[in-house]
Amino acid sequence: MFSLQRGKAAAWVCLIALVFMCFGVMNPEARVYADRITALDDSQPEEPLAFSTAWNMESLEPGKLLTAEVKIANRQKHSQRILVMMALYDGQGKMEGISYVSRTIGGGSEERFIPGIRLPDKLNGHTAKVMVWEGDNLNATTMQPFTDVGVNK
């Protein structure tokens, strides 16, 4: 009697799985077992924020304005406060300049940020770095970057 009941339960599970698959409710790669349905999903979860950076010059040029266009896509459902910072470092790693742009990106939206720094007339191993942080300004941030999105030398 127990095996008959278990057989009926397995038949119902298979029937329900077929109905769900026919109506597109279930992953067609699902496997049906006697007492459970397991979906095969090897995909990795998407990152909550996606970043891309484009510099206005390939290498640093003395006396010119360096800018970086940073595109950020907020894949989350909720808004995210974003601070995009560009910093200029000398050859010894000492910060010589900083510029930042901030705004809130709505859930499912994409925004462009374009920070810029005037480069000194003499460059000696200088590098510029763009970072994305959570927050509205330098005083109201976690001081932990989401990511370093670009370095220009």
Side-chain angles (χ1 to χ4, degrees):
M1 182 80 175
F2 177 77
S3 62
L4 180 60
Q5 291 290 3
R6 188 171 179 90
K8 285 182 184 179
W12 276 108
V13 168
C14 289
L15 179 61
I16 291 169
L18 287 173
V19 169
F20 281 128
M21 284 176 22
C22 289
F23 288 102
V25 177
M26 183 188 232
N27 181 348
E29 300 247 339
R31 293 217 175 120
V32 179
Y33 296 94
D35 56 355
R36 69 187 185 282
I37 300 172
T38 305
L40 302 176
D41 185 8
D42 296 332
S43 65
Q44 298 294 320
E46 279 189 325
E47 293 294 322
L49 299 171
F51 311 92
S52 68
T53 304
W55 298 89
N56 69 327
M57 55 183 78
E58 293 198 22
S59 61
L60 302 183
E61 299 176 31
K64 301 255 177 135
L65 178 65
L66 174 68
T67 63
E69 179 180 356
V70 181
K71 291 182 184 175
I72 303 175
N74 181 2
R75 296 176 176 162
Q76 305 167 100
K77 292 181 181 179
H78 64 279
S79 296
Q80 182 70 55
R81 296 175 311 141
I82 297 292
L83 175 71
V84 176
M85 185 184 85
M86 178 188 288
L88 180 66
Y89 300 91
D90 68 12
Q92 286 73 43
K94 179 184 171 194
M95 186 184 298
E96 284 192 356
I98 188 169
S99 168
Y100 69 90
V101 182
S102 69
R103 77 177 64 98
T104 300
I105 303 176
S109 297
E110 182 176 296
E111 293 281 339
R112 290 181 334 141
F113 298 77
I114 306 177
I117 291 181
R118 175 77 52 195
L119 298 174
D121 290 331
K122 291 189 178 191
L123 296 174
N124 187 14
H126 283 70
T127 59
K129 187 175 185 180
V130 173
M131 295 164 279
V132 177
W133 294 1
E134 179 180 15
D136 295 320
N137 60 60
L138 294 177
N139 294 326
T141 182
T142 60
M143 299 299 284
Q144 296 294 318
F146 284 124
T147 186
D148 295 342
V149 292
V151 175
N152 196 333
K153 297 181 180 183

